[in-house]
Amino acid sequence: MMTNQVAPVQALPASGAGSVAARVVGLSKVYGSGSGRVVALDNVDVLIPAGRFTAVMGPSGSGKSTLLHCLAGLDRPTNGSVYLGDTALESLSDSALTELRRREIGFVFQSFNLVPTLSAEENITLPLAIAGRRPDRGLLTSLVNALGLSQRLRHRPAELSGGQQQRVALARALVTRPRVVFADEPTGNLDSRTGAELLRLVRHFVDENHQTVVMVTHDPAAAARADEVLFLADGRLRDRLSAPTVEQVLHRLAALDEGRS
Amino acid sequence: MWLIGVRNLLAHRGRLVLTFVTVVLGVAFASGTLFFADSIGAAARAIRTDVAVLVAATPGEEDVEYDARPTLLPASQLPRLAAIPGVAATDGIVDGYAAVVGQDGKVARPAGFANDLIGTNWSETPRLRLVQGRAPAGPGEIAVEQVAARNGELTPGTRTTALHGAGTEEVTVVGIYLYQPALRDGPGRAPALAFDTTTAQRVLQKPDTFTSVELTAAPGVATRQLRDAVAATLPAGLVAHDGALLAEQSRQQEESDAGTTAQILLSFTLVALLIGATLIANTFAMLVGRRAREFGMLRAVGANRRQITMLVLVEAAGIGVLATAVGMVVGVGLALPMIDFAAGRDPVLGDTLHVTPRAILSSLAVGVLVTVLAAWLPARRAAAVPPVTALHGDLVLVPRAMRVRTILGLVLAVIATLFCLLGLLGNRPPFTVAGVVGAFTMLIAVVLLAAGLARVMLRLVAVPIRRRLLPRLAVENVMRNPRRTAATVSALLVGVALATGIAVFAASATQADLAAVERTVRAPFLAANIGGGQISQATLVRIRAVAGVTSAAPIRRETAGTGAETFSLTAVNPAAVGSLLNLELPTGTPDGLATGALAHESLAAEREWSVGDSVELTLNGQRVTVAITGLYADAALLGDGLLVSDDFAERHFRPGHGDTVLIGADADRSELRSGLEAALADRPDVRLYTPAQYASEEAGAFSILIRIATALLALALAIAVLGIVNTLALSVLERTREVGLLRAIGMHRRQVRAMITVESMLIVTVGGVLGIAVGILLGAMVQHAVLARPVTEATIPLSLALGAFAAMAVAGVVAAQWPARRAARTDVLEAMGTE
């Protein structure tokens, strides 16, 4: 089911069955205690293959966002382990986690994605500025051209359309050549046409640059652009689907709902 | 709604701490000042009311100044006064220059704010109340005023030296007394020591004379009638005063002094409160922003706008009442040491805390009103929250345009500039006044334009760091809400500007004094009495005997009058002019001093005297005619009246050798200094100065200004710190998502902290630089007006400016601590508002 693809941008260490960008083992996440206790994730094992586009789906409260946050080092699991490449995240201090996010992870969020006081270009190079590094002009130019932003670099976020803003966010997520890009409902605030365009670009970076992307979504059309869809419900991994179509995704989601009720 | 308001107060108490502290501070200052004023003014504690009539050789009914008592009462008047029907008792008083030496070898200062030192005679009346030991009974014994005793560590049994105009006495302290004056002659002038009457007459004035007599009335006799009866029997030159009237005048004087002090303190408080109001408004804006959903929900379930406004105002009033209560307690804490200090210096002032209903009500009104008014705008904004906000998102507080403010600011700035330019044109009143008006207008203009100026300055700061993203991010953040930044900056700006202005003025005044003394005094040394007394013959002889001293010229002063107007008369040896003194004479030559008098240009202009005129003066009861032989320009030490020769003084002045001696010498300075110090060793009340030392001593009066400037600066910084904490906390809160994003894409906590700290430093820098700039303008224009020095000669006290910058840097860092930590602790997931 998992194909071995060696990303040309960065060589990933082999692990288990093939090249793995990230994995979680026996991951549980519990919020609160006593009667207020909520199990967000219950003993989940997931492999994120390198150079592939993985979508995570599930109803509200299924734990899909929690999974993404744990994978990205934004949230700490209650039990189990998270590996980014070969690095076990639970052993890292806050400071080391921050460094890791800076180096190895790119983020695209649903909204509030950009710093309003900085121009588009400054937003794109912000992670490098935070790290005190200079941007690779060649990479920056190719990213900007590929994302169709070359005419928009001097603009502030408020002067950009929603689609343009998300493209800037995507450029920012890619500019550090991260091991994995995590996207949390990136099309959630976009109309369907703009959303489709953004997904086309994500697809492009996966296909051309072997960029690993993990996207949480509840839009079946968005999920259908991925190489593989993981279905979560009630904190457990229920199903997976390779080379999905919209119909298949809808069908699996419906089955998931039935299985729950 | 009331219930919700109270519940909210309890629920948000953490966030309201800042508002609470602000109101507490404001009310503490205000109430402390009011309590202080009421306490020291209410009592008129030590002013006695038992004196029915005061007989003194005072020229006028109103003028009760000590220096203007030329004639003495013969002791024979006393039994005659006692025989007047209605007089119960007489107390003959002698006072004159005297000082007592403390254990440390220095003059022991008595209670009171005045520099003048006096001694008196002991008498068994409430005037001197014995608190320890016994009354002095003969030569060689003195009683000491209680504050002087404390300052000089003198107790009954201590052997020490009493200093007076004629010489020194070896004495033993036998008692300690509290001075209870019957009238307030100057700002608290307690006699430092008391001799027995015979000794007092001998050393302070002349044997068998008194300077004044206090009469007490027999029961049932009205002071008014007794005064008239006494006045009818008095020889010329003596005046009887109604004691009740004097006590009333003293009491009024006391209250008005206390009132003035309170007004100065209250104006500081007002500035503090205005700035505090901004703080409170900011805090409420922050709370309202945070609770937009709650307001939206209340609106959705049917609350109308007015109810929402009331809800916020009720919360504000609640805080106002609580904080005012705490503030008043703190106010009492502030007032107590102030009362102690004032009463310790001046025994006439009340020393017990009086908490009047008026002060309580005023404090309450101030605290509650300021809080409610400050919360008014945020409350209105809360009411404007649409019900739909309950369903999503936050309240975006859109900063409104400040166009009116900017236009007004620009107009004022242009006017201010014109006035300042006008001020540069001359050193005389129309110009100097224009300059001062221009400077103060500029302060207002800069406050109005603070937002725009901050923007320009921050842009300038941003130029060199254009390529550095993170510092730039901080600059952008500060500019994000210009109105709020402007409010924060103004708070600091006004305080720093006033402090700098005062400091520049004080430094310029000191500089002017120094320049004047150095221009006038050519003598390498001068000796002066520190308590307003005369230099004794013995001291003068000893100075002249020091090896290397070529001349010693006393400067003597007297007050003379023509008609009702008085002016100063200064006498020097004509030989000293040119050698010890440098005189600038627009008209005439120094020789004129030997044949007549030189008049100060301004006095001559005022009286329309010209060279060659003969002027008739009243001097110590005599009429003296003197010819004007020349005019002299401003000169240190020589006053602004008439300058006469020492021969003239010998003939017409009261006996003495003046309070200052110019010392000429041809010997090595350091050798000479030790010789002179040895010659003055027995007179701790006479101090040796170089001209520069004398100037800085004279300028010591300005050190109080420097202290006020420092206190004001500290107050400004304290308030600014609160303001910056507030502004940054609000800004951090509004940027929670953004900070979360920055953390998510790899910003370290310490980088977040650094960013916020840089923001704080930027606000401080803008406020500080603008404040110092306007302050220098203020100081320059005020010194221009008051000292008549060119604007460009204003002295900028570098040490204070550097110190201010250092203090501001510290304040900036301190203020950033809490908001920065809060921002750094931002939880990425919460901030990004998932789901």
Side-chain angles (χ1 to χ4, degrees):
Chain A
M1 188 158 81
M2 291 174 197
T3 47
N4 292 346
Q5 271 189 310
V6 177
V9 180
Q10 60 216 46
L12 295 179
S15 171
S19 177
V20 172
R23 63 194 161 98
V24 299
V25 181
L27 180 66
S28 296
K29 179 71 190 179
V30 179
Y31 293 106
S33 59
S35 61
R37 188 178 138 99
V38 174
V39 181
L41 288 175
D42 186 4
N43 196 20
V44 175
D45 297 297
V46 170
L47 287 181
I48 303 297
R52 305 283 305 269
F53 184 2
T54 307
V56 182
M57 294 201 80
S60 286
S62 62
K64 58 184 191 299
S65 287
T66 307
L67 175 63
L68 187 85
H69 295 151
C70 288
L71 271 169
L74 292 176
D75 208 350
R76 300 239 182 212
T78 312
N79 269 311
S81 306
V82 179
Y83 296 90
L84 195 73
D86 281 342
T87 312
L89 300 192
E90 66 263 31
S91 63
L92 300 180
S93 66
D94 178 78
S95 176
L97 259 183
T98 306
E99 294 275 354
L100 181 100
R101 284 203 298 271
R102 188 191 273 180
R103 241 182 12 251
E104 312 246 338
I105 294 174
F107 282 106
V108 182
F109 297 99
Q110 179 176 358
S111 56
F112 307 107
N113 234 331
L114 304 176
V115 178
T117 45
L118 298 181
S119 70
E121 182 175 7
E122 288 164 344
N123 264 290
I124 294 172
T125 56
L126 186 58
L128 299 170
I130 289 172
R133 278 157 54 198
R134 300 203 151 272
D136 172 344
R137 296 313 298 188
L139 175 69
L140 186 62
T141 312
S142 68
L143 269 179
V144 165
N145 287 337
L147 291 166
L149 290 169
S150 49
Q151 300 306 308
R152 295 275 169 229
L153 291 179
R154 298 242 159 264
H155 291 65
R156 298 239 171 156
E159 300 161 338
L160 299 174
S161 70
Q164 286 166 342
Q165 288 187 31
Q166 281 306 60
R167 277 185 273 148
V168 170
L170 185 57
R172 185 195 61 211
L174 292 166
V175 79
T176 56
R177 302 170 196 263
R179 187 185 290 266
V180 187
V181 169
F182 291 101
D184 193 356
E185 303 275 11
T187 59
N189 275 4
L190 303 178
D191 62 63
S192 56
R193 209 170 55 82
T194 322
E197 170 63 12
L198 186 78
L199 289 165
R200 189 188 64 73
L201 289 166
V202 172
R203 193 66 248 176
H204 166 85
F205 284 103
V206 174
D207 293 338
E208 299 299 315
N209 299 353
H210 309 291
Q211 176 64 52
T212 310
V213 177
V214 179
M215 172 177 73
V216 163
T217 184
H218 55 245
D219 176 10
R225 299 304 302 263
D227 295 312
E228 187 182 33
V229 184
L230 306 179
F231 293 93
L232 265 70
D234 301 327
R236 289 169 189 271
L237 183 61
R238 297 289 184 177
D239 204 352
R240 54 205 318 163
L241 178 65
S242 284
T245 65
V246 178
E247 289 71 25
Q248 285 172 318
V249 172
L250 282 168
H251 183 73
R252 297 284 177 106
L253 278 176
L256 212 59
D257 259 358
E258 275 165 32
R260 274 169 22 122
S261 54
Chain B
M1 292 316 264
W2 283 88
L3 185 65
I4 302 178
V6 173
R7 288 272 164 79
N8 272 327
L9 267 188
L10 295 175
H12 298 288
R13 55 186 179 274
R15 290 176 214 153
L16 293 175
V17 164
L18 218 56
T19 303
F20 189 79
V21 170
T22 312
V23 181
V24 166
L25 276 183
V27 171
F29 280 124
S31 63
T33 307
L34 292 170
F35 294 153
F36 170 68
D38 282 348
S39 303
I40 63 168
R45 162 176 69 105
I47 293 181
R48 281 149 53 213
T49 49
D50 61 322
V51 177
V53 177
L54 177 76
V55 175
T58 312
E61 189 77 54
E62 285 77 35
D63 192 349
V64 286
E65 244 184 80
Y66 170 76
D67 284 325
R69 287 182 194 176
T71 34
L72 300 170
L73 277 95
S76 58
Q77 290 282 337
L78 230 55
R80 201 186 57 70
L81 288 169
I84 293 173
V87 172
T90 58
D91 178 21
I93 298 169
V94 189
D95 45 28
Y97 175 78
V100 60
V101 180
Q103 294 274 45
D104 56 359
K106 291 181 181 155
V107 169
R109 288 253 169 220
F113 290 96
N115 272 331
D116 285 5
L117 294 167
I118 55 173
T120 190
N121 62 318
W122 187 268
S123 57
E124 294 299 335
T125 64
R127 183 170 64 98
L128 306 174
R129 185 158 67 82
L130 206 57
V131 293
Q132 208 184 333
R134 60 172 174 85
E141 289 187 356
I142 58 165
V144 178
E145 194 273 334
Q146 60 176 6
V147 175
R150 193 163 64 229
N151 288 341
E153 293 174 19
L154 300 170
T155 49
T158 313
R159 290 199 57 78
T160 185
T161 309
L163 310 168
H164 52 83
T168 62
E169 310 277 323
E170 290 310 311
V171 292
T172 304
V173 176
V174 296
I176 310 290
Y177 64 84
L178 172 73
Y179 179 56
Q180 295 178 301
L183 78 157
R184 178 135 175 87
D185 53 348
R189 206 198 297 255
L193 68 165
F195 302 92
D196 68 280
T197 300
T198 315
T199 311
Q201 288 169 331
R202 177 171 59 79
V203 303
L204 302 178
Q205 298 291 350
K206 283 186 211 161
D208 292 325
T209 56
F210 291 100
T211 39
S212 60
V213 181
E214 290 178 3
L215 305 177
T216 41
V221 178
T223 57
R224 178 89 213 152
Q225 270 87 41
L226 191 59
R227 189 212 80 89
D228 291 346
V230 170
T233 71
L234 285 179
L238 292 176
V239 181
H241 302 278
D242 183 338
L245 209 64
L246 284 181
E248 176 59 20
Q249 279 170 359
S250 295
R251 203 182 54 73
Q252 279 172 3
Q253 177 68 36
E254 200 52 58
E255 278 181 0
S256 110
D257 283 357
T260 309
T261 312
Q263 269 169 20
I264 293 171
L265 290 171
L266 277 177
S267 58
F268 283 138
T269 308
L270 198 68
V271 173
L273 279 174
L274 275 178
I275 300 164
T278 319
L279 280 181
I280 297 164
N282 272 351
T283 311
F284 272 92
M286 174 156 75
L287 293 176
V288 164
R290 216 174 210 200
R291 286 159 49 199
R293 269 175 201 238
E294 178 193 326
F295 295 133
M297 187 271 292
L298 286 173
R299 294 273 280 129
V301 300
N304 62 26
R305 282 181 173 229
R306 220 174 54 81
Q307 283 172 309
I308 301 283
T309 309
M310 282 309 294
L311 176 66
V312 176
L313 289 184
V314 164
E315 292 184 33
I319 295 198
V321 171
L322 284 178
T324 303
V326 176
M328 279 194 277
V329 175
V330 180
V332 169
L334 284 179
L336 282 174
M338 283 161 69
I339 295 168
D340 269 2
F341 172 77
R345 291 299 296 271
D346 188 343
V348 170
L349 300 175
D351 66 344
T352 38
L353 180 72
H354 283 253
V355 178
T356 57
R358 185 182 69 106
I360 289 179
L361 286 179
S362 308
S363 306
L364 200 64
V366 161
V368 176
L369 275 183
V370 165
T371 320
V372 170
L373 284 181
W376 184 261
L377 268 184
R380 295 279 308 253
R381 241 184 285 178
V385 172
V388 72
T389 311
L391 307 174
H392 64 80
D394 303 66
L395 176 62
V396 183
L397 302 172
V398 187
R400 277 161 305 161
M402 295 187 286
R403 193 183 293 166
V404 177
R405 206 175 153 163
T406 307
I407 291 172
L408 190 62
L410 284 174
V411 170
L412 280 182
V414 170
I415 294 173
T417 311
L418 288 177
F419 270 94
C420 287
L421 288 175
L422 197 61
L424 285 175
L425 292 179
N427 294 338
R428 283 176 294 110
F431 304 111
T432 51
V433 171
V436 173
V437 170
F440 277 98
T441 313
M442 190 61 93
L443 176 62
I444 300 168
V446 169
V447 167
L448 289 174
L449 293 174
L453 288 170
R455 181 165 283 267
V456 170
M457 286 178 64
L458 289 170
R459 287 253 179 262
L460 286 177
V461 170
V463 168
I465 53 167
R466 193 185 293 280
R467 298 261 152 244
R468 301 281 313 268
L469 245 180
L470 292 183
R472 254 209 56 200
L473 197 56
V475 172
E476 297 285 342
N477 286 335
V478 174
M479 285 197 283
R480 209 181 278 193
N481 189 330
R483 181 181 282 268
R484 198 186 302 146
T485 303
T488 317
V489 162
S490 316
L492 185 60
L493 190 159
V494 173
V496 171
L498 291 179
T500 311
I502 294 172
V504 167
F505 173 71
S508 303
T510 307
Q511 184 59 40
D513 265 10
L514 184 65
V517 169
E518 286 185 338
R519 198 172 54 233
T520 308
V521 179
R522 280 195 184 165
F525 288 105
L526 58 157
N529 187 299
I530 58 170
Q534 303 269 316
I535 298 213
S536 70
Q537 176 66 28
T539 306
L540 206 55
V541 166
R542 244 177 298 174
I543 290 174
R544 289 198 169 117
V546 172
V549 169
T550 53
S551 58
I555 297 179
R556 294 170 68 174
R557 295 170 219 285
E558 197 69 271
T559 303
T562 50
E565 310 267 345
T566 60
F567 51 85
S568 72
L569 219 53
T570 309
V572 287
N573 183 345
V577 176
S579 60
L580 301 179
L581 273 176
N582 182 34
L583 261 190
E584 243 178 82
L585 301 174
T587 317
T589 60
D591 301 338
L593 200 54
T595 55
L598 303 176
H600 188 271
E601 333 177 68
S602 66
L603 182 73
E606 190 188 309
R607 304 286 168 102
E608 297 177 343
W609 293 338
S610 48
V611 174
D613 286 359
S614 277
V615 179
E616 189 174 77
L617 323 166
T618 313
L619 187 55
N620 289 330
Q622 296 172 293
R623 291 195 181 275
V624 182
T625 305
V626 63
I628 306 292
T629 53
L631 303 180
Y632 70 100
D634 273 340
L637 297 168
L638 300 182
D640 53 2
L642 286 185
L643 196 57
V644 295
S645 69
D646 52 351
D647 284 343
F648 181 92
E650 211 51 58
R651 287 198 303 275
H652 303 292
F653 282 21
R654 280 173 293 174
H657 297 282
D659 54 12
T660 309
V661 182
L662 298 170
I663 302 165
D666 56 7
D668 174 64
R669 261 173 183 259
S670 61
E671 221 172 276
L672 190 63
R673 174 174 270 281
S674 52
L676 285 168
E677 272 168 359
L680 296 173
D682 70 323
R683 294 299 301 219
D685 57 341
V686 177
R687 211 169 279 168
L688 186 68
Y689 303 96
T690 62
Q693 285 169 338
Y694 183 79
S696 60
E697 178 88 6
E698 284 284 282
F702 298 112
S703 70
I704 187 86
L705 284 183
I706 296 280
R707 247 176 279 160
I708 290 177
T710 315
L712 197 58
L713 188 69
L715 181 65
L717 283 177
I719 296 169
V721 164
L722 283 178
I724 292 168
V725 168
N726 200 307
T727 296
L728 288 180
L730 184 48
S731 162
V732 163
L733 190 77
E734 285 171 356
R735 286 188 277 148
T736 303
R737 286 169 193 279
E738 192 180 313
V739 174
L741 174 74
L742 290 171
R743 288 277 293 135
I745 64 174
M747 190 180 259
H748 277 297
R749 287 196 169 144
R750 66 180 150 72
Q751 285 177 303
V752 175
R753 278 198 295 271
M755 180 174 75
I756 307 293
T757 307
V758 171
E759 288 172 30
S760 174
M761 296 299 280
L762 285 170
I763 293 175
V764 167
T765 308
V766 170
V769 168
L770 285 178
I772 287 180
V774 177
I776 288 175
L777 182 70
L778 275 176
M781 287 302 177
V782 171
Q783 65 96 30
H784 178 52
V786 176
L787 308 174
R789 275 157 57 100
V791 175
T792 46
E793 276 182 29
T795 312
I796 296 159
L798 262 185
S799 57
L800 191 84
L802 291 178
F805 266 116
M808 282 190 267
V810 172
V813 172
V814 168
Q817 283 305 307
W818 182 64
R821 201 167 298 181
R822 233 182 116 137
R825 271 209 308 260
T826 301
D827 184 286
V828 180
L829 293 176
E830 251 176 50
M832 297 307 291
T834 48
E835 297 301 319

